[in-house]
Amino acid sequence: MSDFADAGRFAFKDWHLIVETVAALGLVVGIVFELRYLFRLLRRKAHVERGLSIAAGALHEVMEAYFDTWALTPAERDVATFALKGMSNTEIAELRGSAEGTVKAHLNGIYRKAGVSGRGALLSLLVEDLMQSPLLDGAARGPGPSKR
């Protein structure tokens, strides 16, 4: 603005000043668009985080409902939870302060009660139940595993 004031009525004949003005305006417009895009991304991130939180809560509810249905003992619940989180038998044994054989025995009991053949089938059972009913915004799911 001060360059325009200094140039007076000859400002529009100075090509250097015109190019600088257009560049400055372009930068300002670019900043405005980038800020809008940044705020849109931040809103989307918050929405995704909220959805992830809902899904995590729903998975926990489904797990607990199945654990109740299968009448798992507290030890079996711990082992099943760790197994579903992807931990190895050795890691589970270390976390629980028990022998690896004990963990294997708990896992066999869990698989028998759940009617599945292994970890993959156990996880698949829970994920399948989550996928059968859509998650509503913050709404709690119905009690217990879905009927097939």
Side-chain angles (χ1 to χ4, degrees):
M1 295 304 263
S2 67
D3 288 343
F4 274 106
D6 291 342
R9 63 182 194 172
F10 298 110
F12 293 105
K13 291 184 180 180
D14 184 1
W15 287 103
H16 178 74
L17 183 60
I18 292 172
V19 170
E20 279 185 7
T21 303
V22 169
L25 289 174
L27 288 172
V28 169
V29 168
I31 289 170
V32 168
F33 279 112
E34 289 297 322
L35 283 173
R36 289 183 64 203
Y37 186 68
L38 175 65
F39 287 129
R40 186 177 332 143
L41 285 175
L42 289 173
R43 281 192 303 272
R44 182 170 179 234
K45 178 183 174 258
H47 177 72
V48 168
E49 286 176 347
R50 191 177 96 242
L52 182 60
S53 175
I54 291 169
L59 178 60
H60 181 73
E61 289 176 18
V62 168
M63 284 172 44
E64 290 298 321
Y66 272 112
F67 293 172
D68 289 342
T69 302
W70 299 330
L72 297 184
T73 66
E76 289 173 331
R77 285 174 181 260
D78 286 345
V79 170
T81 301
F82 290 140
L84 290 169
K85 288 182 178 185
M87 295 181 176
S88 69
N89 291 355
T90 305
E91 292 171 324
I92 296 170
E94 287 175 9
L95 285 171
R96 299 198 73 248
S98 61
E100 195 171 339
T102 305
V103 171
K104 287 179 183 177
H106 285 308
L107 285 171
N108 286 330
I110 293 164
Y111 301 152
R112 183 179 33 76
K113 291 177 182 181
V116 296
S117 59
R119 285 182 200 217
L122 183 65
L123 181 59
S124 176
L125 186 68
L126 298 175
V127 170
E128 184 180 320
D129 192 32
L130 277 174
M131 292 174 61
Q132 283 182 356
S133 59
L135 298 175
L136 302 174
D137 289 349
R141 299 188 48 172
S146 62
K147 305 287 186 233
R148 292 181 208 196

